[in-house]
Amino acid sequence: MRKNSIKNTRINTEVQRELSNILRNGIKDPRVAPMTSIVAVEVAPDLKTCKAYVSVFGDKKAQDDTIQGLQSAEGFIRRELARTLNMRNTPEIRFIMDQSIEYGVNMTAKINELTKNLKNEDEEES
């Protein structure tokens, strides 16, 4: 796997910031959940494609609806991105659901439950 250059890292953060602004202020699609955030962005070195990792607070249906809404609004999002960023090429955006936050919350709940059970067993033995 290739290491990101400083230029590519800077482009990734700028595209992520602008995508977040577009999601917050520009998308009027009712399918897109209000608690949607862009977790990470990976722009290809040739600036032709972009993977945007999206996190949605809600159930599976809300996540699926949000991804569909974002995919249908990709043209609008790309046009707004081209308007706000001064880049040679505006990348084609692929939205990918990111489950890492949900996974982290579930793991934290399991760890808390396990430590609670261990404390209860220690108190019973005393």
Side-chain angles (χ1 to χ4, degrees):
M1 189 168 142
R2 230 178 90 157
K3 183 179 174 186
N4 278 348
S5 66
I6 294 171
K7 176 185 171 190
N8 202 349
T9 303
R10 197 175 324 131
I11 289 171
N12 288 344
T13 57
E14 195 62 31
V15 169
Q16 180 179 357
R17 181 180 306 124
E18 290 303 323
L19 279 177
S20 295
N21 287 337
I22 292 168
L23 270 180
R24 184 174 44 248
N25 300 326
I27 300 290
K28 302 288 190 263
D29 194 335
R31 293 178 290 186
V32 178
M35 296 291 285
T36 301
S37 61
I38 304 293
V39 177
V41 170
E42 291 178 7
V43 179
D46 64 354
L47 305 178
K48 299 279 187 195
T49 60
C50 169
K51 293 179 187 175
Y53 295 94
V54 179
S55 176
V56 178
F57 184 72
D59 58 349
K60 181 73 172 155
K61 184 181 182 328
Q63 292 174 354
D64 293 339
D65 288 347
T66 298
I67 290 294
Q68 287 177 355
L70 289 174
Q71 287 172 348
S72 69
E74 193 225 341
F76 168 77
I77 294 169
R78 193 171 176 195
R79 184 176 64 239
E80 289 295 310
L81 197 62
R83 190 177 59 79
T84 57
L85 291 180
N86 186 15
M87 292 172 59
R88 180 180 303 132
N89 296 319
T90 304
E92 182 179 322
I93 305 167
R94 243 181 44 216
F95 294 101
I96 300 170
M97 184 56 62
D98 184 38
Q99 303 288 343
S100 63
I101 295 174
E102 183 180 343
Y103 178 77
V105 168
N106 288 338
M107 290 306 289
T108 303
K110 289 179 181 179
I111 291 170
N112 288 341
E113 182 181 330
L114 183 64
T115 56
K116 181 179 162 186
N117 290 341
L118 289 174
K119 284 182 184 178
N120 288 342
E121 288 177 6
D122 287 343
E123 289 175 359
E124 289 176 1
E125 288 178 3
S126 298

